[in-house]
């Protein structure tokens, strides 16, 4: 897959966080709300899919894909929407959301209700890796969303999803391993892990957890012809994770710039 277009859009999205674009009165906007284990992200795009604004906040209101603090989730979603509306000077009316694969019957309703509690109408509920692929655009390959609580995988053949799974290993487990190894609290390990200057030290410590993620990818892909794997999600931000996954998987592995923002942007593209 050619990630050049996706990378360019992701750069533009990141630039929007501090410098939102101007919008015209009555302009149609497309919103994606991503309720994650570690972050809540709200992305706004124009009708051509170009980023207009993006706000995000660290939050512990979702665990392994389940909304565990409903009121807290609604408060943060409302706050992010309010910030964007104030910056853009318009009201956000519609949005799309996403949930981890296989959790639809359990939690699709809760995520939709959080979105609607902000006053927006929720017009679509995607599974996370499928949403990510709306930006990535692989026709034959696996999109692997390594988030905070879980790893979600969609396998595509001829542009169609043929396998979609979610398993509970993600960045939270990386932080737990790091906390144990360095005698830190979980919160300190979580912060330490996110600093790029610490990645060279962190990578070998969390290597067994990366290998667990790789075995999950292996299982999801078995029985399919998967020529490439694309890593997205916040945990894919870890420098060098792609090299270790590639080595153990024996399949070509790609990673876009700013992988944490791929799913939120894909959700907005699908809106
Ligand atoms: P889930 O998909 O499991 O519901 P989520 O949507 O919150 O969770 P993401 O936002 O994709 O998941 O990823 C969150 C994880 O990414 C956290 O564990 C966080 O520590 C990790 N993460 C974020 N930034 C970095 C970074 N720069 N380096 C390493 N890990 C990072």
């Amino acid at each position: 897959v050619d990630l050049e277009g996706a990378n360019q859009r992701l750069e533009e999205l990141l630039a929007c966080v501090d410098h939102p674009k101007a919008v015209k009165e009555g302009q149609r906007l497309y919103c994606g709300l991503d309720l994650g284990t570690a972050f809540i992200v709200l992305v706004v795009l124009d009708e051509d899919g170009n980023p207009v604004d993006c706000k995000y906040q660290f939050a512990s209101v979702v665990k392994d894909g389940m909304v565990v603090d409903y009121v807290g989730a609604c408060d943060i979603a409302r706050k992010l929407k309010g910030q964007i509306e104030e910056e853009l000077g318009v009201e956000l009316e519609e949005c799309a959301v996403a949930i981890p694969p296989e959790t639809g019957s359990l939690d699709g309703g809760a995520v939709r209700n959080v979105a609607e509690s902000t006053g927006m109408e929720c017009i679509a509920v995607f599974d996370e890796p499928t949403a990510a692929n709306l930006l990535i655009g692989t026709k034959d390959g696996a999109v692997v969303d390594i988030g905070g609580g879980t790893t979600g995988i969609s396998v595509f053949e001829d542009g169609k999803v043929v396998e979609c799974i979610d398993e509970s290993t993600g960045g939270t487990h990386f932080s737990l391993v790091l906390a144990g190894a360095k005698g830190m609290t979980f919160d300190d390990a979580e912060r330490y892990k996110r600093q790029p200057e610490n990645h060279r030290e962190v990578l070998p410590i969390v290597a067994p957890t990366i290998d667990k993620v790789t075995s999950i990818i292996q299982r999801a892909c078995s029985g399919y012809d998967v020529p490439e794997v694309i890593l997205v999600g916040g945990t894919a931000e870890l420098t060098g994770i792609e090299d270790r996954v590639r080595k153990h998987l024996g399949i070509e592995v790609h990673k876009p710039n700013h992988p944490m923002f791929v799913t939120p942007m894909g959700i907005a593209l699908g809106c």
Side-chain angles (χ1 to χ4, degrees):
V1 70
D2 181 3
L3 292 178
E4 208 184 301
N7 282 336
Q8 197 180 330
R9 278 183 161 172
L10 288 163
E11 294 295 346
E12 285 171 23
L13 182 70
L14 267 282
C16 278
V17 173
D18 292 326
H19 304 285
K21 301 260 178 66
V23 296
K24 291 183 222 90
E25 185 76 36
Q27 182 178 339
R28 176 109 163 69
L29 296 171
Y30 297 82
C31 302
L33 177 67
D34 190 9
L35 295 175
T37 307
F39 291 93
I40 297 191
V41 188
L42 182 59
V43 167
V44 182
L45 307 177
D46 68 15
E47 53 267 83
D48 299 319
N50 297 314
V52 169
D53 204 346
C54 173
K55 291 286 171 281
Y56 60 95
Q57 183 174 323
F58 195 75
S60 311
V61 294
V62 174
K63 207 163 184 292
D64 295 346
M66 300 291 127
V67 178
V68 292
D69 176 0
Y70 181 76
V71 173
C74 293
D75 284 348
I76 294 171
R78 206 176 309 117
K79 188 184 116 190
L80 298 178
K81 175 179 175 263
Q83 278 177 350
I84 290 181
E85 288 182 333
E86 202 178 311
E87 285 180 350
L88 299 182
V90 296
E91 200 179 325
L92 303 177
E93 290 169 358
E94 292 174 343
C95 72
V97 294
I99 51 174
E102 301 176 308
T103 60
S105 59
L106 290 169
D107 216 37
V111 172
R112 179 188 283 275
N113 287 345
V114 171
E116 300 213 322
S117 78
T118 67
M120 290 188 283
E121 187 188 346
C122 177
I123 59 172
V125 182
F126 296 102
D127 72 75
E128 288 171 348
T130 303
N133 201 40
L134 295 174
L135 176 64
I136 298 296
T138 186
K139 289 222 169 338
D140 293 286
V143 175
V144 178
D145 187 344
I146 319 174
T150 63
T151 294
I153 303 170
S154 283
V155 179
F156 293 85
E157 281 183 355
D158 270 336
K160 293 195 181 66
V161 179
V162 291
E163 180 74 276
C164 195
I165 64 138
D166 194 64
E167 291 219 17
S168 87
T169 300
T172 303
H173 304 80
F174 287 51
S175 300
L176 284 169
V177 169
L178 185 64
K182 287 187 67 78
M184 290 173 162
T185 65
F186 174 83
D187 288 349
D188 286 345
E190 178 63 38
R191 273 189 292 273
Y192 193 85
K193 183 192 70 175
R194 291 205 301 265
Q195 299 304 316
E197 62 270 25
N198 297 331
H199 284 177
R200 189 190 283 266
E201 180 196 354
V202 169
L203 198 77
I205 298 174
V206 300
T209 320
I210 298 176
D211 295 347
K212 173 76 198 302
V213 170
T214 307
S215 71
I216 293 170
I217 302 172
Q218 221 150 20
R219 227 172 317 130
C221 294
S222 76
Y224 300 103
D225 182 19
V226 179
E228 63 178 8
V229 166
I230 300 101
L231 300 186
V232 305
T235 298
E237 298 270 352
L238 192 64
T239 315
I241 187 172
E242 65 278 19
D243 299 327
R244 188 161 180 107
V245 173
R246 184 184 298 117
K247 198 168 135 207
H248 286 242
L249 205 55
I251 299 176
E252 192 50 51
V253 175
H254 303 283
K255 184 171 98 169
N257 302 339
H258 316 297
M260 194 177 110
F261 291 91
V262 171
T263 300
M265 184 154 183
I267 300 170
L269 282 171
C271 180

